[in-house]
Amino acid sequence: RKEVEQDPGPFNVPEGATVAFNCTYSNSASQSFFWYRQDCRKEPKLLMSVYSSGNEDGRFTAQLNRASQYISLLIRDSKLSDSATYLCVVNPSGTGGFKTIFGAGTRLFVKA
Amino acid sequence: GAVVSQHPSWVICKSGTSVKIECRSLDFQATTMFWYRQFPKQSLMLMATSNEGSKATYEQGVEKDKFLINHASLTLSTLTVTSAHPEDSSFYICSARKLAGTGNEQFFGPGTRLTVL
């Protein structure tokens, strides 16, 4: 089993749609969780951290379910510019550790 | 800000040559930098963790004699791909870690696309 698993997609949605991605992780001791966005042939950029209580940033909502060991990302009112690959990122060691595990990414295409 | 640069952004070389890639943190000091490799349509794979002033820590399956890492200062880490072969062609990305609030955010360089002929 991979340490971090994501549905590769692609998700093809129309503008304005709501889309949700899930990600599961295998290490129950994992402490830090993130969603990154990666555009084609570019480096990943941090989209948002994921906190235990859930957090929202504009059209983006991230949630963490420790019991089931998954995190989710919800995008509301999708824009064309949201088309990208979304990477689920887990730091198994907490704030004191350095190893970060990346999921393979979920590809999103938003169409007009 | 937290800007990380990489040089070169792309390189094409002949099989058997060595290629050096630089990673710099431009506006902050990074005691730890990370080197990743990403093949098309695959996730980033951590190759090694680069620690300033000490030897790098390599992930399982990564040859330390082939991928030489030097972290000579708090703002510069270099990755040298020695005797490169076509299978080494990939997108190499570095990142530097910056402690931020309740989590540890990594800032990524723009990547270096290596093509070995």
Side-chain angles (χ1 to χ4, degrees), chain A residues 32 34 36 38 40-46 49 51 87 91 94-100 102-105 107, chain B residues 32 34 36 38 41-44 46 49 51 59 91 93 97 99 102-111 113:
Chain A
S32 302
F34 309 89
Y36 277 75
Q38 186 175 24
C40 187
R41 303 174 77 88
K42 299 286 187 180
E43 77 278 18
K45 293 185 185 296
L46 179 67
S49 301
Y51 304 129
L87 305 173
N91 184 339
T95 57
F98 295 119
K99 187 167 182 176
T100 300
F102 284 80
R107 299 181 71 189
Chain B
T32 303
F34 306 90
Y36 295 86
Q38 185 177 33
K41 298 186 179 181
Q42 295 187 25
S43 70
L44 278 75
L46 180 65
T49 302
N51 300 296
E59 294 300 303
F91 191 43
I93 308 176
R97 191 182 185 94
L99 292 175
T102 58
N104 293 310
E105 182 178 352
Q106 288 188 41
F107 293 88
F108 288 85
R113 193 161 300 279

Side-chain angles (χ1 to χ4, degrees), chain A residues 45-60:
Chain A
K45 293 185 185 296
L46 179 67
L47 181 65
M48 58 196 306
S49 301
V50 185
Y51 304 129
S52 297
S53 56
N55 48 300
E56 186 174 311
D57 183 2
R59 298 182 293 109
F60 300 86

Side-chain angles (χ1 to χ4, degrees), chain A:
Chain A
R1 182 185 174 188
K2 293 181 180 178
E3 291 185 81
V4 177
E5 291 200 71
Q6 292 183 251
D7 181 345
F11 286 66
N12 295 289
V13 303
E15 272 188 293
T18 296
V19 61
F21 308 137
N22 284 334
C23 165
T24 59
Y25 59 94
S26 60
N27 187 338
S28 60
S30 298
Q31 297 294 321
S32 302
F33 309 89
F34 309 89
W35 283 103
Y36 277 75
R37 168 195 171 127
Q38 186 175 24
D39 292 294
C40 187
R41 303 174 77 88
K42 299 286 187 180
E43 77 278 18
K45 293 185 185 296
L46 179 67
L47 181 65
M48 58 196 306
S49 301
V50 185
Y51 304 129
S52 297
S53 56
N55 48 300
E56 186 174 311
D57 183 2
R59 298 182 293 109
F60 300 86
T61 301
Q63 291 192 317
L64 167 65
N65 185 319
R66 286 189 182 275
S68 300
Q69 293 180 211
Y70 80 81
I71 66 174
S72 64
L73 177 68
L74 182 76
I75 305 175
R76 290 181 298 276
D77 189 22
S78 299
K79 310 292 185 189
L80 294 175
S81 57
D82 293 334
S83 297
T85 296
Y86 290 84
L87 305 173
C88 170
V89 180
V90 175
N91 184 339
S93 305
T95 57
F98 295 119
K99 187 167 182 176
T100 300
I101 309 297
F102 284 80
T106 298
R107 299 181 71 189
L108 172 66
F109 294 103
V110 181
K111 298 177 290 185

Side-chain angles (χ1 to χ4, degrees), chain B residues 16-93:
Chain B
T17 60
S18 294
V19 176
K20 179 187 281 188
I21 303 170
E22 293 186 350
C23 178
R24 293 180 186 273
S25 56
L26 297 185
D27 53 0
F28 67 100
Q29 293 182 330
T31 55
T32 303
M33 291 183 173
F34 306 90
W35 286 98
Y36 295 86
R37 180 168 54 182
Q38 185 177 33
F39 293 105
K41 298 186 179 181
Q42 295 187 25
S43 70
L44 278 75
M45 296 300 296
L46 180 65
M47 298 176 65
T49 302
S50 170
N51 300 296
E52 186 269 335
S54 64
K55 292 182 179 180
T57 303
Y58 289 82
E59 294 300 303
Q60 190 174 9
V62 178
E63 299 176 57
K64 62 180 181 181
D65 294 329
K66 180 171 180 63
F67 299 98
L68 301 178
I69 291 173
N70 183 279
H71 195 152
S73 76
L74 289 173
T75 59
L76 173 64
S77 175
T78 61
L79 168 68
T80 301
V81 183
T82 62
S83 186
H85 288 94
E87 58 265 30
D88 297 324
S89 299
S90 187
F91 191 43
Y92 292 85
I93 308 176

